[in-house]
């Protein structure tokens, strides 16, 4: 039962908000509040249909990954959940093994979202994307490590130690979907699911030399996935080649019966992306090389992508390869991205216990309870990026008046503006091409490294070319364009396409994949 208010409680609230309410009026309000609390008690006593799903799954055996199973620290739990033979569903994923990022619900398999604040949480249901994988005959073999609360683009802010890049284990595998990138690259699985709010599919995919797609916002339902910011939440496929990326997207895309308010309710028609990729024709599509996408990139990145562009041109796979310009692209990760990531994350994930109060659809009350309790009992275990986000947002809210919400409103409006600029550029070409990351994967800091070094390695310098498209919602894919000769680390090439035209992005990626075949190394690691 919820606690009943006292007059003193209400007096303190009146003073905090400078409402100047008399005691007589507060006494009247108190009766209304008591009536409201009775309603809240009734709501909280209601049995959610999600609770009944626990019985449906029965016994799903799992175990924590052992060191022998987990040399790169990429696995969280190992399981073996086989998809059913659904006669009404094409078996796109039959004989395929898949891994699931550790912020996506697998019913009855523990989930941590990379953080001790959620340790012990067991989802009561499968996420919609997990249901669809199983319906298409896929086998889920475990959930994989992600960064603490997914708030990092590196792979060393995890609860159980760094996830190591299989191409060079001294370096980051990229994040926050670090485990997803590694287990695909080393061949533990055929495909994996990742999540992306600032590049968290594309950063590890680029760092590990695989293919990763951030779909158009809302194309793939987010139901049953821990959110960071509703306006930039994406989930998508990661695989060793474009064809398997398209295969997985075909299986998981589509409307979710109103369960996810990120999705449009009308005019929403997913595509057979696998068929589209298989039918890709050369000499038709046009590439626009985004001039500003190369600004601020290290020379080794620029040289690699320029070499790839020359091979693409000589392959004659595209009707046109020209340079295009979107001048404001250079501002899109900072400063305009920061107010949205910092302030909305605080309001929704931290203060809002995972959802906040502006989200509709099918939500897990068990998750909200766990987030609330976990942040209070284990907040000290959060990594420094998360702590900085919380302190920064709280400071601006408490001491800077309306600045928090003014800057959020202006930043969102600015992304609408730059989204129009990307749309205009995409009227002349079919996809925009640029480096995925401006730098190589960073070296994993030592356990006693100073905070300045750790924060710089995991910070905003990674997301220059990835974060803008989370806000503008355009589909974006990364695929391997070569390797650094000194460190042996992969370098990713990113393509961005028109809203809801993920098929053209995938077709373009397949043609580029074919053009760059001579640059690829076999995925061969000592496991």
């Amino acid at each position: 039962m919820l606690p009943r208010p006292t007059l003193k409680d209400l007096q303190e609230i009146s003073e905090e908000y400078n409402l100047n309410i008399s005691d007589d009026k507060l006494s009247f309000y108190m009766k209304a509040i008591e009536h409201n609390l009775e309603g809240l008690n009734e709501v909280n006593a209601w049995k959610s249909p999600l609770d009944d799903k626990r019985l449906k799954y029965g016994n799903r055996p799992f175990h924590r990954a052992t060191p022998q199973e987990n040399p790169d620290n990429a696995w969280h739990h190992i399981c073996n959940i086989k998809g059913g033979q659904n006669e009404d569903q094409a078996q796109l994923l039959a004989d395929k093994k898949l891994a699931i990022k550790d912020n996506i619900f697998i019913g009855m398999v523990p989930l941590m979202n990379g953080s001790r604040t959620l340790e012990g949480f067991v989802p009561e249901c499968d996420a919609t994307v997990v249901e669809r994988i199983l319906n298409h005959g896929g086998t889920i073999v475990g959930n994989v490590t992600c960064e603490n609360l997914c708030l990092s683009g590196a792979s060393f802010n995890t609860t159980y130690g760094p996830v190591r890049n299989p191409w060079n284990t001294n370096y980051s595998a990229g994040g926050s979907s670090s485990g997803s990138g590694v287990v695909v690259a080393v061949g533990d699985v055929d495909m994996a699911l990742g999540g992306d709010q600032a590049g968290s599919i594309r950063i590890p995919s680029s760092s590990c030399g695989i293919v990763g797609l951030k779909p158009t916002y809302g194309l793939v339902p987010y139901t049953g996935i821990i959110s960071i910011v509703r306006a930039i939440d994406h989930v998508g496929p990661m695989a060793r080649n474009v064809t398997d990326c398209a295969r997985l997207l075909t299986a998981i895309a589509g409307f979710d019966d109103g369960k996810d308010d990120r999705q449009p309710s009308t005019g929403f028609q997913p595509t057979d992306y696998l068929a589209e990729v298989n039918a890709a024709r050369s000499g038709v599509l046009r590439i626009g090389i985004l001039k500003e996408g190369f600004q601020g990139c290290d020379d080794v990145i620029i040289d690699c992508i320029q070499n790839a562009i020359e091979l693409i041109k000589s392959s004659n796979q595209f009707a046109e390869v020209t340079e295009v310009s979107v001048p404001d692209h250079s501002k899109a990760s900072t400063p305009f991205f920061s107010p949205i990531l910092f302030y909305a994350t605080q309001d929704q994930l931290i203060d809002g216990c995972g959802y906040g109060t502006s989200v509709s659809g099918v939500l897990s009350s068990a998750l909200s309870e766990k987030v609330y309790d976990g942040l209070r009992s284990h907040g000290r275990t959060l990594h420094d990026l998360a702590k900085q986000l919380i302190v920064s947002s709280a400071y601006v809210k408490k001491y800077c008046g309306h600045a928090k919400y003014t800057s959020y409103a202006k930043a969102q409006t600015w992304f609408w503006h730059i989204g129009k600029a990307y749309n205009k550029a995409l009227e002349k070409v079919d996809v925009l091409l640029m480096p995925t990351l401006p730098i190589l994967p960073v070296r994993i800091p030592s356990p006693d490294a100073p905070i300045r070094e750790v924060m710089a390695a995991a910070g905003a310098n990674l997301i220059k070319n990835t974060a803008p498209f989370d806000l503008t919602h355009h589909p974006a894919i990364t695929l391997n364009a070569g390797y650094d000769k000194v460190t042996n680390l992969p370098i990713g090439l990113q393509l961005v396409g028109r809203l809801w035209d993920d098929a053209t992005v995938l077709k373009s990626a397949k043609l580029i994949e074919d053009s760059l075949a001579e640059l690829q190394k076999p995925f061969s690691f000592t496991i």
Side-chain angles (χ1 to χ4, degrees):
M1 298 293 288
L2 298 171
R4 296 166 66 90
T6 66
L7 184 61
K8 183 181 179 182
D9 296 332
L10 302 189
Q11 287 169 337
E12 291 176 354
I13 293 170
S14 176
E15 290 175 7
E16 180 181 354
Y17 286 91
N18 195 28
L19 298 176
N20 192 29
I21 305 172
S22 68
D23 286 353
D24 286 345
K25 287 186 177 181
L26 287 176
S27 297
F28 177 80
Y29 296 167
M30 188 157 51
K31 294 185 182 302
I33 294 168
E34 290 173 349
H35 179 71
N36 184 46
L37 292 177
E38 291 176 6
L40 292 181
N41 284 326
E42 183 177 349
V43 171
N44 290 338
W46 177 70
K47 185 178 182 182
S48 168
L50 295 184
D51 296 332
D52 294 332
K53 289 202 170 186
R54 295 181 186 273
L55 301 175
K56 166 187 170 183
Y57 303 129
N59 184 28
R60 282 180 162 178
F62 62 85
H63 65 272
R64 279 276 293 139
T66 65
Q68 293 74 24
E69 294 170 313
N70 204 20
D72 297 307
N73 205 29
W75 286 102
H76 185 204
H77 288 98
I78 304 294
C79 60
N80 187 33
I81 305 171
K82 295 182 181 295
Q85 298 299 316
N86 188 338
E87 295 180 359
D88 298 325
Q89 187 81 67
Q91 297 294 288
L92 283 168
L93 302 176
D95 303 321
K96 300 290 186 181
K97 296 192 297 183
L98 294 100
I100 308 298
K101 185 179 180 180
D102 186 39
N103 71 328
I104 301 173
F105 289 15
I106 307 173
M108 306 309 294
V109 177
L111 169 153
M112 282 181 65
N113 198 21
S115 173
R116 289 200 187 278
T117 60
L118 278 177
E119 195 162 28
F121 175 65
V122 179
E124 63 266 57
C125 64
D126 286 341
T128 296
V129 287
V130 169
E131 287 182 349
R132 291 179 177 179
I133 286 170
L134 296 174
N135 286 341
H136 278 281
T139 299
I140 293 172
V141 295
N143 54 17
V144 280
T145 306
C146 64
E147 289 286 85
N148 198 315
L149 297 184
C150 296
L151 295 176
S152 167
S155 68
F156 45 79
N157 291 300
T158 62
T159 297
Y160 294 114
V163 177
R164 299 188 175 276
N165 194 309
W167 294 95
N168 187 328
T169 56
N170 293 319
Y171 289 80
S172 168
S176 63
S177 308
S178 52
S180 299
V182 170
V183 297
V184 169
V186 302
D188 285 352
V189 297
D190 300 292
M191 293 165 262
L193 289 180
D196 198 309
Q197 280 88 4
S200 290
I201 288 173
R202 291 159 289 159
I203 295 170
S205 295
S206 174
S207 300
C208 294
I210 65 171
V211 180
L213 173 71
K214 181 204 76 64
T216 297
Y217 179 80
L219 176 63
V220 179
Y222 211 79
T223 315
I225 305 175
I226 298 176
S227 176
I228 293 180
V229 177
R230 176 186 173 278
I232 55 176
D233 289 331
H234 298 76
V235 58
M238 301 166 69
R240 281 190 296 280
N241 56 65
V242 174
T243 300
D244 274 348
C245 211
R247 180 187 301 276
L248 182 51
L249 182 64
T250 304
I252 62 177
F255 187 59
D256 196 20
D257 193 30
K259 296 177 183 177
D260 180 8
D261 65 355
R262 297 165 188 79
Q263 295 190 297
S265 56
T266 59
F268 178 58
Q269 188 63 47
T271 303
D272 186 339
Y273 301 100
L274 180 59
E276 290 279 350
V277 164
N278 288 336
R281 293 189 297 120
S282 62
V284 176
L285 299 173
R286 302 159 298 166
I287 291 177
I289 301 167
L290 184 64
K291 174 184 174 182
E292 291 78 14
F294 290 78
Q295 294 174 357
C297 293
D298 288 352
D299 288 345
V300 65
I301 303 294
I302 294 173
D303 291 345
C304 177
I305 302 302
Q306 292 290 6
N307 179 57
I309 289 170
E310 292 306 312
L311 287 174
I312 292 167
K313 288 179 177 178
S314 65
S315 71
N316 296 317
Q317 293 274 37
F318 291 87
E320 184 179 287
V321 181
T322 58
E323 185 176 86
V324 299
S325 177
V326 179
D328 280 340
H329 174 77
S330 59
K331 301 178 186 176
S333 60
T334 55
F336 285 93
F337 185 74
S338 297
I340 296 169
L341 180 65
F342 274 47
Y343 305 151
T345 299
Q346 174 80 359
D347 285 356
Q348 183 176 322
L349 177 62
I350 307 299
D351 291 344
C353 299
Y355 295 115
T357 55
S358 62
V359 179
S360 61
V362 175
L363 313 177
S364 169
S365 57
L367 173 65
S368 293
E369 292 173 14
K370 186 62 177 178
V371 172
Y372 181 88
D373 292 338
L375 285 171
R376 281 150 185 79
S377 58
H378 293 289
R380 63 187 180 280
T381 68
L382 294 174
H383 63 90
D384 284 307
L385 274 176
K387 290 179 179 179
Q388 175 187 306
L389 181 153
I390 293 169
V391 172
S392 172
S393 179
Y395 171 82
V396 173
K397 181 177 181 179
K398 187 169 184 177
Y399 295 107
C400 299
H402 57 74
K404 173 177 177 177
Y405 299 104
T406 301
S407 60
Y408 179 86
K410 288 193 173 185
Q412 283 285 13
T413 304
W414 189 86
F415 274 101
W416 172 86
H417 153 76
I418 195 175
K420 301 281 279 186
Y422 292 132
N423 291 341
K424 186 173 182 180
L426 287 164
E427 290 175 359
K428 300 176 182 178
V429 296
D430 294 296
V431 291
L432 303 175
L433 183 154
M434 68 204 79
T436 307
L437 304 180
I439 60 175
L440 290 169
V442 296
R443 183 178 285 273
I444 295 173
S446 64
D448 58 351
I451 184 173
R452 183 183 299 275
E453 178 184 338
V454 176
M455 295 285 278
N461 55 349
L462 293 168
I463 63 173
K464 170 186 177 296
N465 284 339
T466 55
F469 305 107
D470 289 278
L471 261 299
T472 65
H473 298 164
H474 291 83
I477 195 170
T478 182
L479 64 157
N480 183 248
Y483 302 82
D484 173 47
K485 294 179 181 178
V486 177
T487 61
N488 197 42
L489 292 167
I491 296 171
L493 177 155
Q494 181 175 236
L495 300 175
V496 177
R498 302 182 191 96
L499 293 164
W500 301 102
D501 194 9
D502 299 60
T504 295
V505 173
L506 285 160
K507 286 189 290 185
S508 300
K510 180 64 171 73
L511 294 173
I512 289 178
E513 185 177 68
D514 293 343
S515 302
L516 302 183
E518 66 182 70
L519 297 178
Q520 304 310 311
K521 297 179 181 180
F523 289 98
S524 178
F525 306 99
T526 301
I527 303 175

